[in-house]
Amino acid sequence: MAKLKVGTENSTPIELYYEDHGSGRPVVLIHGWPLSGRSWEKQVPALVDAGYRVITYDRRGFGESSKPWTGYDYDTLAADLHTLLEHLDLQGATLVGFSMGGGEVARYVGKYGTRRVAKAVFAGAVPPYLYKSKDNPEGGLDNQTLAGFKGAVTSDRLAFLDDFTKNFFSANGQLKVSERTRKFARMIGAFASPKGTLDCIEAFGRTDFREDLKKFSIPTLVLHSDADAIVPFEVSGKRTAASIKGARLVLIQGGPHGFNVSHADEFNRALLDFLKD
C-alpha cells in the first residue's frame, strides 16, 4: 500500500514497503527469513475481522522493500521498525515477531522501550541467543552450521531455498502444507536480496538478545511448535519464556517451523486470546 523512507544508499532512497489494514488496537506483524509480509496471509484476515488494525511490512532486502547492500544487523533493523512506528504514530501496539522477526521485537524493546508498545509476541522466534558458545552452551548454531548456511546460499541460493522450505514446513519428516504453498514460500525467498539473505544469517545466528529480554516488563506471549526443526523450542522459545517474568507460553503440538501457516487456526486462536486479555 505504501513505502516509507528509512535511509539512503548513495543516491537511492531505502524504503520499506508496508500495508495497513483495519482499525482498532494496532498489531505489527514482523516476518521471518527469507520471506516477506506476505507470509502473514493466514493471520491478517483473522486479526482484522477481530477488530484490530494490522500492519505488515517487508524487512529491508525482502519482499517489495528496497534491497540495499548493507544494514542487515539488528540495530539497523530495529531502527527501521522504530521509524515505521513513529511514522504511523502507533500507540499501545502489539509487536508480533516470527522467527528472525522475534529479534526485531527483542532489540526494539531493548533499545527503544515500550512507549509505543503494550504487548509482545515471540512466535517460533530466534531469541534469546542461537549461537552456541562457551557462555551460551544451550545455543543451537555453531560455526560449522552457520558456515554451511552461508556456503549454500552463496553457491546455489535457489537450491538452498528449495531444501530450506521443505524443512521449514515439515515436522517429524512430513510436509505439513501443500506442495504449492511450499513453492509459494520458495518464490518469495527467491526474490529477496541475495546479499540481504546472506547477511541475515550472521544477524539471526550470532546476535545475543539476552540483555534485551531483561528489559521486558510488558505482557509477552511465547508461541512455539514442539516439532520445530529450524528454531527448536528447547533452544529458543523455552528459554525466552523463562527469561521474561510472567510470560505466557503456548506450545503447538506437531507443527513445523512455519506453523503460522500449517497450524493457522491454533496459531490465530492463541494470538487472539492473548490480545484480548
Side-chain angles (χ1 to χ4, degrees):
M1 289 178 65
K3 288 194 174 183
L4 170 67
K5 182 178 177 181
V6 294
T8 58
E9 181 179 53
N10 297 329
S11 60
T12 305
I14 300 172
E15 296 176 318
L16 296 185
Y17 172 84
Y18 70 93
E19 297 187 7
D20 186 352
H21 302 290
S23 60
R25 285 184 290 151
V27 179
V28 182
L29 302 176
I30 308 166
H31 67 83
W33 173 90
L35 302 175
S36 75
R38 299 188 73 172
S39 61
W40 293 110
E41 182 176 334
K42 297 287 189 179
Q43 281 66 56
V44 173
L47 290 166
V48 172
D49 289 347
Y52 295 96
R53 177 183 177 186
V54 184
I55 297 97
T56 62
Y57 73 98
D58 295 346
R59 180 182 293 108
R60 64 166 63 204
F62 298 85
E64 297 185 54
S65 289
S66 299
K67 297 171 175 59
W69 198 250
T70 61
Y72 299 103
D73 60 283
Y74 270 106
D75 284 344
T76 302
L77 298 176
D80 288 348
L81 173 59
H82 180 63
T83 301
L84 178 64
L85 267 60
E86 292 278 312
H87 172 72
L88 296 176
D89 193 23
L90 299 185
Q91 305 290 337
T94 297
L95 301 182
V96 182
F98 173 78
S99 193
M100 181 178 179
E104 271 109 322
V105 175
R107 184 52 49 89
Y108 180 88
V109 171
K111 188 172 183 180
Y112 298 101
T114 56
R115 183 173 67 87
R116 294 187 178 276
V117 180
K119 294 184 177 183
V121 179
F122 293 96
V126 299
Y129 190 18
L130 285 186
Y131 182 60
K132 191 172 185 177
S133 60
K134 288 183 179 179
D135 74 331
N136 187 48
E138 304 93 340
L141 294 178
D142 57 19
N143 289 328
Q144 183 178 357
T145 304
L146 289 170
F149 266 60
K150 291 189 287 185
V153 168
T154 302
S155 63
D156 193 336
R157 186 172 61 93
L158 298 183
F160 168 82
L161 290 171
D162 194 56
D163 290 337
F164 181 77
T165 52
K166 291 175 184 175
N167 293 329
F168 191 94
F169 289 119
S170 292
N172 302 316
Q174 293 185 330
L175 188 66
K176 298 297 184 178
V177 299
S178 69
E179 179 66 3
R180 289 178 178 178
T181 294
R182 183 192 74 81
K183 288 182 177 179
F184 178 60
R186 184 186 66 183
M187 181 186 70
I188 294 173
F191 285 96
S193 158
K195 181 65 160 49
T197 301
L198 181 65
D199 286 1
C200 281
I201 296 171
E202 282 290 304
F204 68 69
R206 296 185 188 271
T207 303
D208 185 350
F209 300 103
R210 290 176 293 184
E211 290 301 314
D212 297 300
L213 295 184
K214 290 178 181 179
K215 299 179 181 179
F216 273 67
S217 59
I218 55 175
T220 301
L221 170 66
V222 177
L223 183 56
H224 219 101
S225 168
D226 69 340
D228 189 332
I230 302 293
V231 182
F233 171 66
E234 292 75 16
V235 170
S236 53
K238 183 178 181 179
R239 297 172 62 202
T240 293
S243 299
I244 300 173
K245 185 177 180 180
R248 180 187 302 184
L249 173 63
V250 176
L251 195 59
I252 303 297
Q253 302 297 312
H257 186 54
F259 69 131
N260 67 307
V261 178
S262 66
H263 290 61
D265 289 344
E266 294 166 79
F267 186 103
N268 293 349
R269 189 179 308 118
L271 178 57
L272 289 169
D273 285 347
F274 174 69
L275 290 172
K276 71 183 181 182
D277 287 348

